[in-house]
């Protein structure tokens, strides 16, 4: 933490100075750096909690909140709640004292904030010179009956991030399409964040099945040589111009395209990055973001699961599968899971499945019909693809819905839609990006996910950890279904 | 309960001013109205709880206890144990605050006390002018300008 403190003596009675400073929204009339200012929500300038929203002359926008105002102490305290500067945890106090020996006024102004080491000197100088001392001079001039003071040749420009340069990071690179061994740890160059971007120092990276598809070329999401990976968490290292939602030092996560998460540091579109709640550890968050957001829109937006529904979930012990089971059960559905063996069946039962079918031992469509008295499932969540698609349609109830959201066993291939008519069933092939590609939609999904985690509806289960360089081993374990927990790479 | 508040700007660096007023036994050196002072029980003058026992030039004797001393805040708080002034529950604080603009020092001296209701106002005015005000004027004089 840095504390900066300045003080002056003005040649005016304390009452006159206080009359100028007391109005929290009055700074636009006396501070040379401040352009238009307004109070939010119809507050008055002496209402504790009032927020002033103003612009500096360079156009940057700041919002500050009044925390305390005392006519006894002739002081007020406020904090920054939104600013493009790196003034993290900035809070400041103005205090006036009478000089009783000669009727003048003693004015103190101090602030505390948490700058990065790189920004410390520059920001301290900015606060002291452009905020405090400029304010002192300006009010002094006003009291002498002069016009609002603006130092000659001086235009207050709020400093943005310190000059950020390209840095090197260690990244796992897919050198060509192929098996796990096509991935190599290499040194890559990470550009500084441009407008609307931020650079993130990553602490945990989630491994998902889609990463395998990127690596082996099933999906052309990347063109080798390229860095795979869709989700990670970490700390904001620096931000580019125009990023106001998050600051350096904030703990954040993302789970979306473009690929490139398998790295110690990366630059991202800030709109795709969101803050993490404190109750989630870095590793737990990296393990659950992409799978949890998937489950969120699959259960609420692609098909809205409701009380009494019969829900069939394939690979019910898997990453997304186990979240789907728990969450669907919490929504009031009867959940039927399919797994490949008895051990996974037991896990699926623990995750909310009322019934578990070993698809290796019986036709799961017949089993679903038997378990439901011939009704079938209202919705089937199928990420297995080729091996299950036809049977999943047979497992549906009349007007049931098949959600095909993955192809672990291979491409679903070409099918006639005539089969859908036999039970008036409908089909979705949702694309992750279309359910969280705007800030608002992403916010909807993350709010829902963090709410479900906070309330214990779904659990952030401890992932299996690998070092970043062990990404090939992680992929091997994922593809051979050696692990049942989520996989996380730690840089 | 009545209050006294007196303040002044001293044209000197806070460190230099604090070096003088920090000494709880130094009233004779800077106030102009104290003839002699000693710390009872031979305690150091910066031991919180120590008592200064001093005689005014007009003959009155006063005993005051150091309640707080802060080199961090540059402040000193004390209470009156015995005095000819007829005050009760008297607690005073002397505090220095830097004036960064011009590298000067803002000095404030405040007190709260109880006295007979008909005397309170006069007493407060006297303490403000003749004790605190006079002492700070004398202190300022030490720094020339």
């Amino acid at each position: 933490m840095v504390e900066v403190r300045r003080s002056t003596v003005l040649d005016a009675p304390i009452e006159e100075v206080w009359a100028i400073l007391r109005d929290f929204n009055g700074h636009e009339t006396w501070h040379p750096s401040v352009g238009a200012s307004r109070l939010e929500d119809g507050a008055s300038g002496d209402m504790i909690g009032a927020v002033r929203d103003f612009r500096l002359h360079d156009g940057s926008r700041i919002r500050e909140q009044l925390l305390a105002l005392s006519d006894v102490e002739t002081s007020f305290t406020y904090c920054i709640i939104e600013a493009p500067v790196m003034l993290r945890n900035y809070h400041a106090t103005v205090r006036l004292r009478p000089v009783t020996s000669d009727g003048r006024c003693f004015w103190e102004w101090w602030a505390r904030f948490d700058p990065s080491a790189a920004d410390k000197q520059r920001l301290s100088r900015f606060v002291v010179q452009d905020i405090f001392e400029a304010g002192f001079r300006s009010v002094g001039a006003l009291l002498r009956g002069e016009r609002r003071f603006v130092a000659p040749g001086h235009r207050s420009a709020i400093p943005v991030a310190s000059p950020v340069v390209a840095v090197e990071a260690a990244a796992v690179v897919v050198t060509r399409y192929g098996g796990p061994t096509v991935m190599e740890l290499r040194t890559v160059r990470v550009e500084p964040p441009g407008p609307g971007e931020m650079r993130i120092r990553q602490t945990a990276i989630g491994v998902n099945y889609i990463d395998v598809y990127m690596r082996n070329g099933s999906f052309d999401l990347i063109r080798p040589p390229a860095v795979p990976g869709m989700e990670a968490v970490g700390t904001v290292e620096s931000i580019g111009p125009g990023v106001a939602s998050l600051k350096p030092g904030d703990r954040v996560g993302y789970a979306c395209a473009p690929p490139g998460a398998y790295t110690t540091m990366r630059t991202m579109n800030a709109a795709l990055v969101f803050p993490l709640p404190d109750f989630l550890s870095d590793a737990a968050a990296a393990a659950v973001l992409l799978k949890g957001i998937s489950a969120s829109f699959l259960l609420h937006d692609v098909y809205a699961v409701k009380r009494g529904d019969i829900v069939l979930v394939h690979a019910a012990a898997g990453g997304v599968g186990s979240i789907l089971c728990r969450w669907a059960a919490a929504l009031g559905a009867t959940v039927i899971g399919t797994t490949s063996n008895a051990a996974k069946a037991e896990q699926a039962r623990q995750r909310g499945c009322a019934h578990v079918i070993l698809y290796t031992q019986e036709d799961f469509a017949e089993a679903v019909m038997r378990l439901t008295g011939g009704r079938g499932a209202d919705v089937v969540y199928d990420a297995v693809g080729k091996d299950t698609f036809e049977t999943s349609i047979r497992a549906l109830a009349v007007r049931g819905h098949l959600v095909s959201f993955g192809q672990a066993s291979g491409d679903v291939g070409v099918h006639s839609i005539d089969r859908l008519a036999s039970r008036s069933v409908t089909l979705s092939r949702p694309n992750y990006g279309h359910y969280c590609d705007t800030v608002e939609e992403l916010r909807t999904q993350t709010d829902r996910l963090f709410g479900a985690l906070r309330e214990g509806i779904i659990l952030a289960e401890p992932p299996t950890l690998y070092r970043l360089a062990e990404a090939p081993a992680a992929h091997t374990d994922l593809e051979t279904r050696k692990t049942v927990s989520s996989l996380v790479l730690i840089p | 309960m009545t209050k006294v508040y007196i303040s002044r700007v001293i044209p000197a660096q806070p460190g230099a001013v604090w070096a003088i007023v920090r000494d709880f036994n130094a009233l004779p050196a800077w106030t102009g109205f104290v003839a002699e002072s000693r710390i009872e029980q031979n305690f150091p003058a910066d031991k919180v709880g120590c008592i200064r026992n001093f005689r005014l030039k007009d003959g009155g004797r006063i005993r005051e206890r150091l309640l707080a001393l802060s080199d961090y805040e540059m402040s000193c708080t004390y209470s009156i144990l015995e005095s000819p002034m007829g005050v009760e529950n008297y607690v005073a604080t002397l505090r220095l605050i830097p004036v960064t603009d011009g590298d000067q020092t803002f000095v404030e001296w405040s007190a709260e006390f109880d006295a007979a209701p008909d005397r309170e106002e006069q007493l407060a005015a006297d303490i403000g002018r003749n004790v605190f005000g006079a002492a700070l004027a004398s202190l300022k004089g030490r720094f020339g300008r």
Side-chain angles (χ1 to χ4, degrees):
Chain A
M1 191 190 68
V2 164
E3 177 176 299
V4 289
R5 194 177 268 272
R6 284 297 182 272
S7 51
T8 193
V9 178
L10 296 178
D11 196 8
I14 186 170
E15 294 79 10
E16 282 184 27
V17 182
W18 187 233
I20 294 173
L21 300 186
R22 185 181 184 278
D23 179 1
F24 191 53
N25 198 39
H27 62 158
E28 64 177 354
T29 66
W30 62 264
H31 201 289
S33 300
V34 174
S37 177
R38 67 172 190 90
L39 289 168
E40 296 182 359
D41 302 326
S44 62
D46 51 7
M47 248 169 77
I48 304 308
V51 173
R52 64 185 181 194
D53 180 340
F54 61 98
R55 286 187 186 278
L56 298 183
H57 288 308
D58 68 351
S60 51
R61 176 172 174 228
I62 300 183
R63 292 170 68 233
E64 294 177 334
Q65 185 165 36
L66 183 63
L67 300 177
L69 175 72
S70 170
D71 282 329
V72 177
E73 294 281 325
T74 44
S75 74
F76 62 91
T77 297
Y78 59 98
C79 65
I80 289 181
I81 54 180
E82 192 178 333
V85 245
M86 314 299 103
L87 295 170
R88 207 170 346 132
N89 299 326
Y90 182 97
H91 52 290
T93 297
V94 163
R95 186 169 66 187
L96 303 182
R97 291 270 189 268
V99 182
T100 63
S101 66
D102 54 21
R104 292 186 296 164
C105 175
F106 175 55
W107 175 1
E108 293 173 273
W109 201 347
W110 66 90
R112 295 183 177 128
F113 58 100
D114 297 319
S116 70
D119 290 331
K120 185 173 164 180
Q121 284 204 328
R122 221 162 37 88
L123 283 178
S124 297
R125 196 165 55 239
F126 168 75
V127 172
V128 162
Q129 295 177 354
D130 291 22
I131 306 291
F132 294 178
E133 292 176 349
F136 290 162
R137 284 195 301 270
S138 183
V139 172
L142 270 181
L143 290 164
R144 288 190 299 273
E146 298 164 14
R147 292 165 54 121
R148 182 173 166 180
F149 180 89
V150 177
H154 180 79
R155 287 290 282 183
S156 179
I158 200 158
V160 286
S162 52
V164 180
V165 295
V167 294
E168 290 188 338
V172 171
V173 175
V174 172
T175 55
R176 61 184 189 281
Y177 291 134
T181 55
V182 301
M183 294 191 289
E184 286 177 13
L185 195 65
R186 289 185 183 174
T187 299
V188 299
R189 180 183 161 91
V190 183
E191 296 300 325
E197 291 184 334
M198 60 176 49
R199 196 158 63 188
I200 302 168
R201 193 184 305 283
Q202 304 197 134
T203 52
I205 300 153
V207 177
N208 294 283
Y209 218 91
I210 193 170
D211 305 347
V212 172
Y213 298 144
M214 287 178 209
R215 190 208 67 216
N216 64 23
S218 299
F219 292 179
D220 59 352
L221 283 164
I222 56 170
R223 290 281 160 90
V227 179
M230 295 282 276
E231 74 178 320
V233 306
T235 307
V236 180
E237 183 257 356
S238 55
I239 59 175
V243 176
S245 54
L246 292 160
K247 308 176 291 303
D250 284 351
R251 196 167 156 264
V252 297
Y254 62 85
C256 58
Y262 287 17
T263 177
T264 54
M265 176 127 36
R266 82 175 288 193
T267 303
M268 274 294 281
N269 175 354
L272 302 174
V273 178
F274 44 83
L276 294 178
D278 291 340
F279 69 84
L280 270 184
S281 72
D282 289 2
V288 81
L289 292 177
L290 192 107
K291 300 172 189 71
I293 289 171
S294 301
S296 167
F297 72 76
L298 290 172
L299 294 169
H300 297 86
D301 302 316
V302 176
Y303 175 92
V305 171
K306 54 195 181 298
R307 183 163 298 282
D309 275 353
I310 292 166
V311 174
L312 178 66
V313 177
H314 289 309
V320 180
S322 57
I323 298 174
L324 285 172
C325 291
R326 257 191 222 285
W327 209 341
L331 290 168
T334 299
V335 182
I336 304 173
T338 73
T339 63
S340 58
N341 61 50
K344 288 185 176 177
E346 182 49 36
Q347 285 166 8
R349 272 188 203 94
Q350 287 167 13
R351 285 163 176 74
C353 287
H355 311 282
V356 183
I357 302 164
L358 295 180
Y359 66 81
T360 48
Q361 293 181 10
E362 61 180 322
D363 179 307
F364 67 83
E366 287 172 12
V368 169
M369 290 303 169
R370 188 185 70 240
L371 289 166
T372 59
R375 174 179 159 187
D378 297 294
V379 60
V380 176
Y381 289 105
D382 185 347
V384 177
K386 187 174 126 190
D387 291 354
T388 50
F389 186 83
E390 284 292 339
T391 318
S392 289
I393 291 173
R394 284 199 288 117
L396 282 168
V398 170
R399 295 170 65 181
H401 189 74
L402 172 60
V403 182
S404 175
F405 68 102
Q407 50 189 49
S409 63
D411 194 328
V412 168
V414 179
H415 292 264
S416 162
I417 62 169
D418 290 350
R419 299 240 8 252
L420 306 182
S422 65
R423 293 189 152 240
S424 292
V425 299
T426 51
L427 170 65
S428 293
R429 183 65 181 91
N431 183 325
Y432 183 94
H434 299 149
Y435 289 84
C436 52
D437 59 356
T438 68
V439 176
E440 293 72 26
E441 281 168 356
L442 182 61
R443 178 73 187 265
T444 300
Q445 305 302 345
T446 56
D447 281 356
R448 213 187 256 150
L449 171 63
F450 295 149
L453 286 163
R454 188 179 292 110
E455 289 163 28
I457 291 170
I458 57 173
L459 304 177
E461 301 189 29
T464 305
L465 304 182
Y466 298 77
R467 290 197 308 273
L468 181 58
E470 295 172 326
H475 274 214
T476 302
D477 290 352
L478 184 64
E479 288 176 87
T480 57
R481 312 198 180 277
K482 196 173 146 194
T483 61
V484 285
S485 64
S486 297
L487 283 59
V488 166
L489 305 175
I490 302 295
Chain B
M1 171 75 71
T2 192
K3 293 181 183 180
V4 181
Y5 180 88
I6 287 295
S7 61
R8 182 166 204 120
V9 177
I10 307 279
Q13 292 185 354
V17 181
W18 183 237
I20 294 170
V21 303
R22 181 186 187 282
D23 184 351
F24 197 52
N25 197 32
L27 292 180
W30 64 272
T31 60
F33 51 77
V34 175
E36 56 164 14
S37 172
R38 69 182 178 86
I39 302 290
E40 294 184 0
Q41 296 182 270
N42 207 24
F43 282 150
D46 51 7
K47 179 182 169 67
V48 172
C50 77
I51 295 168
R52 67 182 172 194
N53 186 324
F54 58 95
R55 188 169 55 81
L56 302 172
K57 286 184 175 165
D58 68 9
R61 180 162 294 279
I62 299 180
R63 293 176 69 232
E64 292 175 339
R65 181 192 297 278
L66 181 63
L67 300 179
L69 181 69
S70 170
D71 279 332
Y72 180 65
E73 296 276 341
M74 293 191 292
S75 70
C76 161
T77 298
Y78 60 93
S79 63
I80 289 183
L81 302 178
E82 285 177 44
S83 84
M85 298 190 293
V87 293
E88 301 281 335
N89 306 316
Y90 179 105
V91 175
T93 296
L94 177 65
R95 184 194 319 269
L96 310 189
I97 306 174
V99 184
T100 60
D101 187 1
D103 207 5
Q104 306 179 90
T105 306
F106 176 76
V107 185
E108 60 177 17
W109 204 340
S110 58
E112 287 187 9
F113 61 87
D114 295 318
D118 57 329
R119 294 183 60 240
E120 266 192 350
E121 201 176 325
Q122 185 60 44
L123 203 47
D126 287 349
I127 291 170
R129 187 171 56 248
N130 300 332
V131 182
F132 296 173
L136 293 188
S138 164
L139 182 64
K140 176 174 185 274
R142 288 176 64 102
F143 293 97
R145 286 181 276 170

